[in-house]
Structures are given as structure tokens and as C-alpha cells.
Amino acid sequence: MLKLVVLLGFLAAFCAAENKGIAIITTGVSGVSGSLTFTELSGGGVHIVGTIKGLTRGKHGFHIHSKGDLTDGCGSTGSHFNPYNKTHGAPDAEHRHVGDLGNIEAGANGIATVDITDKIICLTGETGILGRAVVVHSGEDDLGLQDTDESHTTGSAGSRVGCGIIGIL
């Protein structure tokens, strides 16, 4: 019995360990670059931190896209990660794509400091983001609040100016 208790204690400690991912943001064209670290939280969700530079001043849509495919740059990353087939929304909205992470904001120096905790995404499993792409858009995400098809699918956030595949760290 003692061996079983020790084994269960070891497994519980092992499962509570924080899993991590990383994405290096590049485009090859617009000069947007940076790095992001994704840390899975023991209570659920993922904490995303890092910096992205080379952006225009202001808010930029920030999403997880369905494919980790950069063969055609950010254009081949597919649509927003949406395993539950919902409409686009804010990170705290009831109806949102799993990949809808809202906006990041760049200052006058073109640098955005990212510090986001999202309770829906995970690194693995049904809402897993490992192997998918993180994408930064040219404009502000309207969070699906406008009455247009584009708002309800992409947040009208504009073109893709930076992206990276989320890998294991």
C-alpha cells in the first residue's frame, strides 16, 4: 500500500508540472519579429508572455490559427483555431473561437509586450495549441462586435503581419 501511495504522489507531482511552448515570430517581409513563451497552468489555461517588435503603434489582433504551416508565410496558417465551430469573439466572451486572444498593443516604439492568460487554450488535448500558429494582424480586432461577416469570422483585424509555429520548449 505504501508503494502505491508513493507512486500516486509521484504521478500527481509529475502531472502538476508546467508544460511550456515557444513561438518565434517572423514574417520575412514586414519586419515584425519577436518571441513568445506559453506556460500551461496547473489550474487550467495558458500564460503567454513575450515581446513583438516592428509593429505600427496601436492595437493588433492576436490569434491562434488552426495550422502550423508557414510554407506560404502567415497566409498558410489557416483560419482561427475553432474546434467548437463558434463565431469570433472577445477572449472573455461566451461565444468565441478557441484561438481568439483579443489584441496586443504596440507603443510608439513599435514594441508590444505580451502578458496574457487565457483559460480556454491548453498546450495539448482538445484545445491544444502545440503545432499550431500564433498570428499577429495589422489592425485592431473588433472582437466580433460589428454586424458584418468579417467581424464574426476574423474580427476585421486586417492582414497577417507576423506569425510563428508554437513548439515544445
Side-chain angles (χ1 to χ4, degrees):
M1 181 68 167
L2 181 59
K3 288 182 183 179
L4 179 59
V5 170
V6 171
L7 177 61
L8 289 175
F10 171 75
L11 290 175
F14 179 75
C15 294
E18 294 181 337
N19 295 313
K20 292 190 176 193
I22 189 166
I24 305 302
I25 306 299
T26 62
T27 61
V29 179
S30 67
V32 173
S33 64
S35 66
L36 300 165
T37 301
F38 300 78
T39 303
E40 195 166 53
L41 305 172
S42 59
V46 172
H47 185 211
I48 306 165
V49 295
T51 56
I52 301 173
K53 60 184 181 177
L55 296 167
T56 58
R57 182 180 192 159
K59 293 183 178 180
H60 296 269
F62 186 69
H63 310 115
I64 304 298
H65 284 236
S66 58
K67 298 177 183 176
D69 176 5
L70 302 181
T71 56
D72 190 25
C74 299
S76 53
T77 60
S79 57
H80 296 182
F81 179 41
N82 187 18
Y84 303 126
N85 198 30
K86 296 201 176 199
T87 57
H88 182 78
D92 59 352
E94 180 182 346
H95 294 283
R96 65 168 264 203
H97 303 145
V98 169
D100 290 346
L101 300 178
N103 289 292
I104 58 173
E105 189 164 2
N109 61 0
I111 298 173
T113 300
V114 180
D115 187 350
I116 295 172
T117 299
D118 187 82
K119 296 294 182 187
I120 294 179
I121 60 174
C122 292
L123 293 184
T124 60
E126 189 172 32
T127 61
I129 61 171
L130 281 179
R132 300 186 190 285
V134 60
V135 176
V136 180
H137 292 266
S138 61
E140 181 175 354
D141 184 332
D142 69 16
L143 308 176
L145 298 175
Q146 303 304 312
D147 193 20
T148 66
D149 288 342
E150 189 172 353
S151 177
H152 295 160
T153 56
T154 68
S156 302
S159 62
R160 303 168 186 195
V161 296
C163 57
I165 299 171
I166 303 165
I168 297 169
L169 180 62

